[in-house]
Amino acid sequence: MKKKLNLLCLCVIAAFLLSVSGNVQMIVRIFINGFEIGMKAAEEGGEMPVLPAYKQIHTMPTDLTEVTGTVTNLKDGSQLAIKPLVSLVECPSMPTSSAAALWEAMAALVVIVGFIYTTVYFCKLIVQINRNIVFDWTNVKYLRRIGWGLIAIFFCAFVSVWITNYQLSQVVALKGTEFNLLLAFSDPTFILGFIALLAAEVFALGLRLKEENDLTI
Amino acid sequence: MPIIVNLDVMMAKRKISLGELAERIDLTPANLSILKTGKAKAIRFSTLGAICKELDCQPGDILEYRPDE
């Protein structure tokens, strides 16, 4: 049983690493790119170029006949239309309210702390189960914390997306699409949080049954 | 809980100790103590039958219904 459980845990960790690998790769590439631009500017002795700030937006196609953007057909060189759902767009300079800036900073912090928090409690849960402490109120507590942690992560990320989408919708437009927040719900942390809470309640029910069984003489 | 366990009364009447009764009905003293102190949530018919046999009494002598006030 433990072999199967540990194998599943490895799968969860692998799936988690794969799910964040795209973002990590993007951050590393942007960092390297910025570093190279900075190095080049320093070597040439010129002024440091101002790098554009990019923000993520969620858009939904509204008119398929309008050309939002194009990709090149490598066979004949023709241009084919694209309809982006999640895109990184250059953020124009715009007045940002201090409350929104503070919220974005806080949300980013909560997301990082939340991921560490849920990972720690996930590891604690696995250690408990490996010690043969399965039906225990501590495990229910850990599962509830994992669930609420994941939901908090989603909530902070969602509000950040909402603020960014709202701010950018005031200053930029993508032809044939509209800003849409529904795609932000595809974040797996949202459903995983509720699944963890559901698992906690199933554990709690099992525990109550076990306690009743233990007190049946 | 409105069910009262009067096992201690019956044991006193029969002048039998907890350890002795536990041994006779093949139950651990810890479990019999849970039953005696009223902490148990349920009792199996087999346990109740064994207790009645050893104490020579009826289930009603051990269990009593007293509505909550």
Side-chain angles (χ1 to χ4, degrees):
Chain A
M1 193 194 104
K2 271 189 198 168
K3 205 176 166 185
K4 221 179 205 177
L5 177 97
N6 287 326
L7 198 70
L8 275 170
C9 288
L10 281 176
C11 290
V12 170
I13 291 165
F16 169 73
L17 290 175
L18 277 173
S19 72
V20 295
S21 61
N23 284 333
V24 171
Q25 193 182 17
M26 185 180 74
I27 291 165
V28 169
R29 278 191 182 176
I30 289 171
F31 177 80
I32 291 170
N33 187 242
F35 184 76
E36 281 171 354
I37 292 168
M39 282 297 284
K40 199 177 164 190
E43 279 168 8
E44 286 170 2
E47 266 193 34
M48 193 74 86
V50 179
L51 297 175
Y54 283 94
K55 290 213 172 186
Q56 197 182 55
I57 56 163
H58 294 76
T59 49
M60 193 73 87
T62 49
D63 186 356
L64 293 173
T65 56
E66 283 242 46
V67 179
T68 309
T70 55
V71 285
T72 308
N73 184 338
L74 291 175
K75 280 185 181 169
D76 59 12
S78 63
Q79 297 296 300
L80 303 169
I82 57 163
K83 293 285 174 198
L85 297 174
V86 180
S87 342
L88 274 181
V89 295
E90 189 181 337
C91 188
S93 56
M94 56 184 181
T96 313
S97 75
S98 56
L102 182 71
W103 170 263
E104 279 196 35
M106 288 290 290
L109 192 70
V110 169
V111 168
I112 293 165
V113 172
F115 264 117
I116 295 167
Y117 178 85
T118 48
T119 310
V120 165
Y121 277 106
F122 178 73
C123 293
K124 278 185 171 184
L125 180 73
I126 298 310
V127 168
Q128 282 268 103
I129 294 170
N130 271 298
R131 283 180 187 157
N132 273 340
I133 309 165
V134 183
F135 284 105
D136 192 90
W137 285 108
T138 319
N139 291 352
V140 175
K141 188 175 78 181
Y142 289 169
L143 273 168
R144 281 186 182 145
R145 286 185 180 180
I146 291 168
W148 287 118
L150 288 171
I151 290 169
I153 289 169
F154 168 77
F155 178 75
C156 289
F158 179 78
V159 176
S160 290
V161 168
W162 181 69
I163 291 172
T164 310
N165 259 23
Y166 176 75
Q167 284 177 334
L168 283 175
S169 68
Q170 308 298 306
V171 286
V172 296
L174 253 80
K175 265 194 272 177
T177 65
E178 64 174 17
F179 285 82
N180 195 304
L181 281 174
L182 280 177
L183 287 166
F185 282 101
S186 59
D187 190 342
T189 52
F190 186 51
I191 197 154
L192 279 178
F194 285 110
I195 289 173
L197 286 179
L198 188 72
E201 288 318 302
V202 171
F203 253 71
L205 274 174
L207 256 171
R208 277 187 209 111
L209 277 174
K210 184 186 172 280
E211 279 178 356
E212 205 168 287
N213 195 43
D214 287 348
L215 288 173
T216 298
I217 311 298
Chain B
M1 206 160 55
I3 300 293
I4 310 295
V5 181
N6 290 321
L7 185 63
D8 49 349
V9 177
M10 282 311 294
M11 283 167 64
K13 278 183 187 169
R14 301 286 184 263
K15 293 189 176 69
I16 188 168
S17 71
L18 184 108
E20 199 182 337
L21 180 63
E23 201 176 311
R24 282 193 199 175
I25 61 171
D26 200 21
L27 211 69
T28 63
N31 275 345
L32 194 61
S33 173
I34 289 170
L35 189 63
K36 197 180 128 189
T37 51
K39 287 177 190 162
K41 294 228 176 182
I43 180 167
R44 289 190 188 92
F45 282 157
S46 56
T47 312
L48 188 61
I51 292 170
C52 288
K53 189 182 169 190
E54 281 308 317
L55 298 179
D56 189 25
C57 63
Q58 292 299 312
D61 297 328
I62 295 165
L63 303 175
E64 182 193 341
Y65 174 70
R66 213 179 286 169
D68 290 324
E69 283 171 15

